[in-house]
Amino acid sequence: MTPPDDAPGRERRILGLPPGTWPRILAPLVVGLLLLGGWEWAVRHFAVPAYILPGPVAIARTLVADWPTLSGSLAVTLRITVLALLVATAAGLALSILFSQSKWVEMTFLPYAVMLQVTPVVAIAPLIIIWVDNIQASLLICAWIVAFFPVVSNTTIGLNSTDRNLLDLFRLYGATRWQTLVHLRLPAAMPFFLAGLRISGGLSLIGAIVAEFVAGAGGASSGLAYRILESGYQLQIPRMFAALALISFSGVLIFLALSLVSHLMLRRWHESALRKDH
Amino acid sequence: MTGRPGSAETAGVQEDGTIAASGHTAPSREDSTGPAPVVALRGVTKRYGNGTLAVQGLDLDITTGSFVSLLGPSGCGKSTVLRMVAGLSPLTAGGIAWPRAAGRPPKLGFVFQEPTLMPWKTAIDNVALPLRLEGVAKAERHRRAREMLDLVGLSDFANSYPRELSGGMRMRVSIARALVTEPEVLLLDEPFAALDEITRFRLNNDLLRLWESRRFTAVFVTHSVFESVYLSQRVVVMAANPGRLHADLPIAAPARRDEAFRTSPDYAALCRTVSEALERAMKA
């Protein structure tokens, strides 16, 4: 009986990160800088007016100058996004557990979940905004509708694809339904759930923005999407880009945060969280 | 399906014919000599939903504390029999009785073909799982799980995750888990089939040692003649289509089975006998 040859040893690190990680950070960064540089150069060289295409420097200046307004809008949008993600996660998890407990429940309600997913939120957002008095609540509902499906569908697949032998083992030892759920099905579904969560994180931001656009067209909102609309009306194109940049950054940040959560929860056991080279 | 010269056997399906209606039956063919069987199968039949007759009219008594192998070609229903004994698969007809425990199945342990470990749990937590499901307190279940890990030679790997262990080590964890409840009967479904030969031989020896020291009844499903002869006191040969009992061969071998036995002429002769029985079963 020899010890496994993939036992973790001391690894070489550069600035706290394993050497293999650096290209993954640096390569996109270099491309990004080149792109921004090229953009700035082109805007200056061809003397493009700022109301058509502002350069990155102008956008950055606007971002700093308008930060008081923009940061307020960012907070509004992020609040809706995070709330929608939380509600989508809780509701999605609960629904998929319900589905996994009874084939009948799944057969009956899954089509409606799918229907909710495939209907474009832009099309139903005006209705929701009319029906729900509270504008925050209606934005939340729109974002939630977009965000909850990946959690439901992924977690349901995860709960249903539990190792059959392990299920037999639990049956052999007379495990209750609850024990089987908590000790076997939920942990086994965890990688699926986390993959769904990462998609839902991005979608809840998209849902929040779309809902704000619809609501903002009626003048009743203060999030980043509303700033974009407003800037468009006022031909404040640099501010439009600044708001857009904030949205993109938020999206990337949400994705990274959820990836980190996923990595931390799976790193000890799941293939997806393991580095390939040994 | 009759007696053969050269093997002190009893042949095939016993024709005493009592097919039990269900569950709680006394064994009808009580051996006057041996102790009461731990489990008695009567007319056990399994037909799957698609109409396949996996097992038909199987009668089998398994003596308490013995090591019995079910040997047969793939598709002879030997794994199905094991699953029915474990209560994991319902019988279509016939009955399975547990005469010693007033008809109720005693504590069972089951080792699957795959190690079947929870990848998100460490070795010790995997071994402790059956105790956890029984509601044993954490300190106590960890103490007993550690004891079992010591027994299978994995003391140093208690906190390793399954992916950090080799195939053989994972199977040891699986065996430790099956034994942690101190079962009366250990059911093993081709547990070593996926392992390399060196690891398999070593685990064969370890399993025998465990069986000698803890005296559970072992029912071992395999398709390897050599493994069945090396391990068991009795080899039950099954035939396929439909799965049924073909021959029942006692293995008269030294009490101490080790590498010397594995290379002895006795062992070779026993393997030949069993091999011939298996060949006949495949033609039958």
Side-chain angles (χ1 to χ4, degrees), chain B residues 245-265:
Chain B
L245 200 145
H246 176 78
D248 195 339
L249 313 166
I251 302 297
R256 183 74 199 159
R257 305 193 188 203
D258 47 23
E259 293 313 315
F261 172 59
R262 206 188 272 284
T263 49
S264 69

Side-chain angles (χ1 to χ4, degrees), chain B residues 263-280:
Chain B
T263 49
S264 69
D266 280 355
Y267 176 67
L270 285 164
C271 286
R272 185 175 307 123
T273 310
V274 173
S275 200
E276 283 164 5
L278 181 63
E279 209 144 294
R280 271 192 296 274

Side-chain angles (χ1 to χ4, degrees), chain A residues 1 4 168 171 179 268-269, chain B residues 83 88 119 164 172 202:
Chain A
M1 188 121 309
D168 277 346
R171 206 142 64 85
Q179 284 178 321
R268 300 308 302 270
W269 65 276
Chain B
R83 290 177 56 82
L88 292 173
E164 298 167 333
R172 283 167 192 272
R202 198 177 295 168

Side-chain angles (χ1 to χ4, degrees), chain A residues 1-4 6 8 163 165-166 168-173 175 179 183-184 187-188 267-271 274 278, chain B residues 83 86-88 108-110 112 116-120 129-130 132-133 154 157 161 163-164 169 172 177-178 181 202:
Chain A
M1 188 121 309
T2 53
D6 55 355
D163 185 326
N165 283 338
L166 275 171
D168 277 346
L169 192 79
F170 272 64
R171 206 142 64 85
L172 188 78
Y173 290 115
Q179 284 178 321
H183 297 309
L184 178 57
R267 68 191 160 138
R268 300 308 302 270
W269 65 276
H270 197 255
E271 297 296 334
L274 302 177
H278 281 303
Chain B
R83 290 177 56 82
L88 292 173
L108 299 176
F110 201 107
F112 295 89
T116 314
L117 304 175
M118 298 180 290
W120 57 87
L129 172 75
R132 177 166 202 173
L133 294 176
L154 287 180
F157 295 91
Y161 285 82
R163 66 166 190 89
E164 298 167 333
M169 292 161 98
R172 283 167 192 272
R177 177 181 61 194
T181 56
R202 198 177 295 168

Side-chain angles (χ1 to χ4, degrees), chain A residues 246-260:
Chain A
L246 282 179
I247 293 174
S248 298
F249 275 128
S250 308
V252 171
L253 218 62
I254 290 169
F255 181 82
L256 286 179
L258 293 176
S259 297
L260 183 70

Side-chain angles (χ1 to χ4, degrees), chain A residues 62-80 212 222-225 227 230 239 242-247 250:
Chain A
T62 315
L63 194 59
V64 175
D66 289 355
W67 182 247
T69 338
L70 287 174
S71 62
S73 300
L74 176 66
V76 169
T77 301
L78 282 184
R79 206 167 67 91
I80 296 289
E212 276 180 12
S222 52
L224 282 174
R227 291 292 159 230
E230 187 192 51
R239 194 162 68 174
L244 198 58
L246 282 179
I247 293 174
S250 308

Side-chain angles (χ1 to χ4, degrees), chain B residues 27-61:
Chain B
S28 52
R29 197 177 60 96
E30 194 75 52
D31 282 326
S32 50
T33 50
V38 64
V39 59
L41 285 70
R42 287 293 173 274
V44 166
T45 299
K46 176 74 184 185
R47 188 185 284 281
Y48 282 114
N50 60 12
T52 314
L53 194 57
V55 181
Q56 190 178 36
L58 187 76
D59 293 326
L60 188 64
D61 285 358

